[in-house]
Amino acid sequence: MHIDLSDKRTLVTGASRGIGEAIAIQLVKSGATVAAHYNKNPVKTDHLTYEQLKKLVPIKADLSSPSETSALFDKVIDRFGHLDVIINNAGIAIKSSMEGDINHFVNDWKNTMDVNLLATGILCKHAINHFVGRNGGIIINISSRAAFRGDTPDYLAYAASKGGIVALTRSIARAYGKQGIVAFNVAPGFVKTDMAQDAIDAYGEGFVKDDIALNDLTQPQDLAPLITLLASGLANHATGGTFDINAGSYVH
């Protein structure tokens, strides 16, 4: 089935690389107009046609800043007029040793929560207020396998932040469904991205592969088709649900 998103105006955070880049490119190829958020480097557009390029709008913001996060939403509305779908994908994973200094530990937790959870909450707030005025909209939040099976001691803050996203999404789905707002969690496992390269370098690709049920590591492009489906509105009765994409490494 071909999914046509030509009537959808969408914001994707963290679209400069990895999962976010794959999502933004797939949405544009499916016809959506996409605000592709980035912090340092905008999304690469080599593989898009001229017509597709006109539907991709890079917008810069530092999501560790609440004011810049709010301003990002305002910029998207100013540019597009309205929004139909928001995909909160941006996130950071800071390695923070349990044996380290408490001040470093606290800073690592604050930075992780600011980007992964607070920024997502701010954008969800703006999206909800906007969607209520438009009789509906779609929120897709990228959580993680770590929210359910946990993570290593060095990434406690990351796992906790992703667990918070799950609760946030479920709460939105239950509270705003009657107003036409649906919300989904997508929980990837280990995905072969730049952000995950540290783990590959530290433990080796073989170690990571031993943890999954399939032969190949999950790629960013493996998430894009499901998210395209959720963005289409064809799966709205799954609101509040979590969709696992982890190559069988965590099944619940």
Side-chain angles (χ1 to χ4, degrees), residues 12-236:
V12 181
T13 66
S16 62
R17 60 179 186 164
I19 294 171
E21 178 186 15
I23 293 169
I25 295 300
Q26 181 63 60
L27 292 178
V28 167
K29 288 183 175 180
S30 298
T33 302
V34 177
H37 157 262
Y38 70 99
N39 185 18
K40 294 179 181 177
N41 302 303
V43 60
K44 297 182 284 293
T45 57
D46 319 4
H47 27 297
L48 295 178
T49 67
Y50 176 72
E51 289 303 314
Q52 289 168 344
L53 276 173
K54 291 192 291 187
K55 288 180 167 286
L56 186 72
V57 180
I59 301 181
K60 188 178 189 303
D62 178 0
L63 297 189
S64 68
S65 161
S67 61
E68 284 201 36
T69 303
S70 287
L72 168 64
F73 193 88
D74 293 338
K75 288 176 184 177
V76 174
I77 299 303
D78 287 345
R79 184 67 182 260
F80 289 174
H82 75 269
L83 198 61
D84 301 294
V85 182
I86 182 168
I87 301 167
N88 288 302
N89 162 76
I92 58 175
I94 302 173
K95 185 176 182 180
S96 184
S97 171
M98 291 294 286
E99 288 74 40
D101 177 77
I102 185 60
N103 292 319
H104 290 153
F105 180 84
V106 170
N107 285 334
D108 290 342
W109 271 71
K110 284 183 175 178
N111 291 338
T112 300
M113 294 300 168
D114 282 348
V115 175
N116 292 8
L117 190 52
L118 179 58
T120 296
I122 290 170
L123 290 171
C124 283
K125 170 183 165 49
H126 288 305
I128 289 165
N129 292 337
H130 179 70
F131 291 157
V132 165
R134 290 183 50 78
N135 298 315
I138 297 171
I139 296 171
I140 303 169
N141 291 330
I142 308 301
S143 179
S144 170
R145 173 186 72 182
F148 301 96
R149 80 167 205 174
D151 211 318
T152 64
D154 287 341
Y155 292 97
L156 295 183
Y158 176 79
S161 71
K162 293 300 186 177
I165 286 174
V166 172
L168 169 67
T169 307
R170 290 174 176 173
S171 299
I172 291 169
R174 289 176 55 80
Y176 293 98
K178 290 286 196 291
Q179 290 158 285
I181 299 172
V182 295
F184 308 100
N185 278 307
V186 175
F190 191 93
V191 181
K192 194 172 183 181
T193 63
D194 292 344
M195 193 169 81
Q197 192 60 46
D198 287 346
I200 294 176
D201 292 343
Y203 302 109
E205 190 166 307
F207 176 84
V208 178
K209 281 186 175 180
D210 287 343
D211 193 40
I212 64 176
L214 302 181
N215 290 319
D216 301 315
L217 292 179
T218 305
Q219 301 288 334
Q221 294 78 10
D222 293 322
L223 281 78
L226 172 62
I227 291 167
T228 301
L229 172 65
L230 296 177
S232 72
L234 293 172
N236 282 356

